[in-house]
Amino acid sequence: MKYKAVLFDMDGVLIESEELIAKCAILALADFGVHAKPEDFIPFVGSGEDKYIGGVSEKYGVKYDLAMKRRCYEYYGQLVADEAKRPERILELLDTLKERGYKLAVCTSSDYMKASANLRAIGAREDIFDAFITGDDIINKKPDPEIYLKGSKMIGVAPEECMVVEDAPNGIQAAHAGGMKAIGVATSFSAETLTEQAGPDYLVSKVIDILTIL
């Protein structure tokens, strides 16, 4: 099939930030008396910061408060430009896909504040995307397909003609639930974990390699 659109998750795909957001969440939760560990966050990757931070705080018996997320974003905003990594040739990838005629969308469970900070950190313009959907725009987070179905609708491309690029099992499951194919990028999770937990249609080790599929 000839795909017409590429729908990108952000963290772990357009920017390698999973270690940083875990670090910031640990710092934020510590301010509220929760002493979390990096591995505590793994089940919640890709499901938005409310669940990402809230799931861990509640694991430690502390009720989630939105102030925890605000504190996490404060730390993240201070550190993202220096500590997050820009994937190899990421801007070239976006430009090449546009030149090939694909419609592009960001579909991230993160809030707009964090998503826009990520774009600035990698030097990408928001207007290169035909749709920019964040956790602020949806009710049900991944693995629910709502965000990808909304992205498909906003750019006017049928789900079966959309290719999703994801780094997390939750996101791949969301793509499949929405009737879309998914490329798994083995950055935040190993290829084996992605295959076992979500069964992506394709696997790559670097996001630039999606050009060999598209």
Side-chain angles (χ1 to χ4, degrees), residues 91-168:
L91 300 182
E92 176 189 338
L93 168 64
L94 297 175
D95 287 339
T96 299
L97 290 173
K98 290 294 282 189
E99 289 167 4
R100 291 182 182 180
Y102 288 100
K103 289 193 173 182
L104 306 181
V106 166
C107 297
T108 175
S109 297
S110 295
D111 291 6
Y112 179 79
M113 181 187 301
K114 180 186 173 199
S116 58
N118 281 340
L119 280 191
R120 290 193 298 274
I122 66 171
R125 307 181 322 275
E126 186 173 329
D127 63 8
I128 197 171
F129 299 100
D130 300 284
F132 194 82
I133 305 161
T134 71
D136 298 319
D137 303 313
I138 58 170
I139 297 171
N140 303 299
K141 303 296 175 69
K142 303 168 188 177
D144 189 280
E146 179 184 354
I147 194 166
Y148 284 122
L149 291 174
K150 185 165 188 173
S152 167
K153 184 175 181 180
M154 285 184 69
I155 61 178
V157 176
E160 61 270 20
E161 295 178 311
C162 295
M163 179 64 80
V164 168
V165 185
E166 268 282 356
D167 71 312

Side-chain angles (χ1 to χ4, degrees), residues 31-210:
D31 291 340
F32 292 84
V34 177
H35 301 290
K37 301 170 183 155
E39 57 267 27
D40 293 329
F41 298 92
I42 292 173
F44 308 107
V45 171
S47 55
E49 270 70 53
D50 289 313
K51 195 168 182 180
Y52 186 82
I53 299 168
V56 174
S57 68
E58 289 167 7
K59 173 184 175 181
Y60 285 88
V62 178
K63 185 177 179 181
Y64 175 60
D65 189 303
L66 283 173
M68 295 173 176
K69 180 172 71 172
R70 288 194 292 270
R71 186 68 56 82
C72 178
Y73 282 168
E74 288 171 6
Y75 285 120
Y76 191 85
Q78 294 166 13
L79 299 173
V80 62
D82 293 326
E83 296 196 20
K85 298 175 184 176
R86 180 160 60 173
E88 177 185 345
R89 298 164 59 195
I90 188 63
L91 300 182
E92 176 189 338
L93 168 64
L94 297 175
D95 287 339
T96 299
L97 290 173
K98 290 294 282 189
E99 289 167 4
R100 291 182 182 180
Y102 288 100
K103 289 193 173 182
L104 306 181
V106 166
C107 297
T108 175
S109 297
S110 295
D111 291 6
Y112 179 79
M113 181 187 301
K114 180 186 173 199
S116 58
N118 281 340
L119 280 191
R120 290 193 298 274
I122 66 171
R125 307 181 322 275
E126 186 173 329
D127 63 8
I128 197 171
F129 299 100
D130 300 284
F132 194 82
I133 305 161
T134 71
D136 298 319
D137 303 313
I138 58 170
I139 297 171
N140 303 299
K141 303 296 175 69
K142 303 168 188 177
D144 189 280
E146 179 184 354
I147 194 166
Y148 284 122
L149 291 174
K150 185 165 188 173
S152 167
K153 184 175 181 180
M154 285 184 69
I155 61 178
V157 176
E160 61 270 20
E161 295 178 311
C162 295
M163 179 64 80
V164 168
V165 185
E166 268 282 356
D167 71 312
N170 282 333
I172 295 167
Q173 291 165 7
H176 286 162
M180 303 177 194
K181 300 294 187 183
I183 300 172
V185 185
T187 49
S188 305
F189 294 85
S190 69
E192 292 76 16
T193 297
L194 293 178
T195 299
E196 290 171 5
Q197 296 188 12
D201 302 280
Y202 305 93
L203 271 169
V204 295
S205 58
K206 298 180 292 187
V207 69
I208 188 66
D209 292 339
I210 72 171

